[in-house]
Amino acid sequence: MSRVAIIAGAGRLPAELAAALGGNPLICAPKGSVPEGLAVDLAFHIERLAPFLRHLVDEGVEVVSFAGPVHRMALDPALFDPETATFVPRLLAAMQGGDDATLRVVIALFEEYGLSVQGLATLAPALLAAEGVLGARTPGSAESTDSARGAEILQALSPVDVGQGCVVAARLCLAVEALYGTDAMLAQLASCRDTREPRKGGVFVKRAKAGQDLRVDLPAIGPATIEAARAARLTGICLQAGQVVILDRAETLARADAAGIALWAVP
């Protein structure tokens, strides 16, 4: 098998991908990114991306996989090497188009150095949600209706690159995930439920954006998502099959069952 380099962002996903791959993947992380439970072999500066890419090739790496979120950071002009500096106009133009556009340019740069960028669906499909009921409780008809409404909302928002999740109760949209992510959305919803109707119930819907390159930045849930959903008094979580990562799967499912939250995945 070709040697794989994992470009590791924050959280648990890089370690779970490394475990699923086995062997000896090269763990790389941008300066400032700290993957959980995983030692980094090579930290690199974004401003010196070209030398880093050449180093991967010299190390015999043929396949690269991105895992975990990498938050935008300020770039230091003094650190740019001449070759990486030539990438800047492409990157800046892409960043004006949002995260998806930026990631497409980053993937193209890796491929220009002969590196194959592959996603979890290829390298570790067991980490993704399979279609069907995942927990102990089957969703009710109202929850299924709310999940379908949530999918419609996310489909409509995809062209403007807003987020990958929303909450729907009684067909009403209670919250939409934006730049600050799932945890912030669910925490804000929890703070409203004592004073606004509906005060309980609803489904958190998590899906990839339409047209999203599924090799990078896949949506994910984990144990913390279940706790946040419980605090927000939700009764269901609906995922997109084959396109959402379930971190720490056994613990996530156990917490959903303990909370009485239906957890399922649809096409």
Side-chain angles (χ1 to χ4, degrees), residues 137 139-151 153-154 165-176 185-186 189 193 198 200-206 229 232-239 261-264 266:
R137 188 170 77 77
S141 60
E143 290 165 329
S144 295
T145 298
D146 284 341
S147 70
R149 176 62 175 159
I153 291 167
L154 294 177
C166 67
V167 175
V168 175
R171 290 187 55 81
L172 300 173
C173 183
L174 306 187
V176 173
M185 177 191 70
L186 293 178
L189 177 59
R193 302 221 79 170
K200 63 180 179 178
V203 176
F204 170 45
V205 182
K206 188 79 166 177
R233 304 177 191 173
L234 303 182
T235 60
I237 297 175
C238 182
L239 311 177
I261 293 174
L263 178 60
W264 75 104
V266 298

Side-chain angles (χ1 to χ4, degrees), residues 41-116:
D41 299 315
L42 178 63
F44 64 95
H45 288 280
I46 299 295
E47 297 92 336
R48 297 189 59 80
L49 183 60
F52 167 67
L53 295 175
R54 287 198 300 272
H55 181 78
L56 293 183
V57 174
D58 292 342
E59 288 290 314
V61 170
E62 297 178 13
V63 174
V64 173
S65 186
F66 292 80
V70 177
H71 300 294
R72 293 191 184 191
M73 58 195 74
L75 301 179
D76 183 353
L79 292 178
F80 279 103
D81 64 279
E83 188 174 359
T84 304
T86 66
F87 304 159
V88 172
R90 292 169 64 185
L91 288 168
L92 290 179
M95 288 170 68
Q96 299 302 312
D99 289 344
D100 289 349
T102 303
L103 290 170
R104 282 193 292 270
V105 170
V106 170
I107 289 173
L109 290 171
F110 276 74
E111 291 177 336
E112 288 169 13
Y113 282 76
L115 298 163
S116 174

Side-chain angles (χ1 to χ4, degrees), residues 110-259:
F110 276 74
E111 291 177 336
E112 288 169 13
Y113 282 76
L115 298 163
S116 174
V117 178
Q118 297 183 15
L120 297 185
T122 300
L123 297 176
L127 296 180
L128 302 175
E131 184 177 347
V133 177
L134 304 173
R137 188 170 77 77
T138 300
S141 60
E143 290 165 329
S144 295
T145 298
D146 284 341
S147 70
R149 176 62 175 159
E152 292 173 357
I153 291 167
L154 294 177
Q155 178 76 16
L157 291 173
S158 284
V160 290
D161 194 10
V162 172
Q164 300 169 323
C166 67
V167 175
V168 175
R171 290 187 55 81
L172 300 173
C173 183
L174 306 187
V176 173
E177 179 183 322
L179 181 64
Y180 299 124
T182 296
D183 290 347
M185 177 191 70
L186 293 178
Q188 183 181 32
L189 177 59
S191 71
C192 297
R193 302 221 79 170
D194 282 335
T195 57
R196 300 287 299 272
E197 294 290 347
R199 299 192 181 193
K200 63 180 179 178
V203 176
F204 170 45
V205 182
K206 188 79 166 177
R207 300 176 68 86
K209 287 171 277 191
Q212 179 177 337
D213 193 319
L214 298 178
R215 291 175 292 176
V216 293
D217 191 32
L218 280 175
I221 69 162
T225 313
I226 304 300
E227 295 307 312
R230 172 158 49 185
R233 304 177 191 173
L234 303 182
T235 60
I237 297 175
C238 182
L239 311 177
Q240 186 175 20
Q243 297 187 11
V244 179
V245 180
I246 302 179
L247 300 170
D248 198 352
R249 180 179 293 256
E251 180 66 17
T252 297
L253 298 185
R255 292 194 186 194
D257 291 345

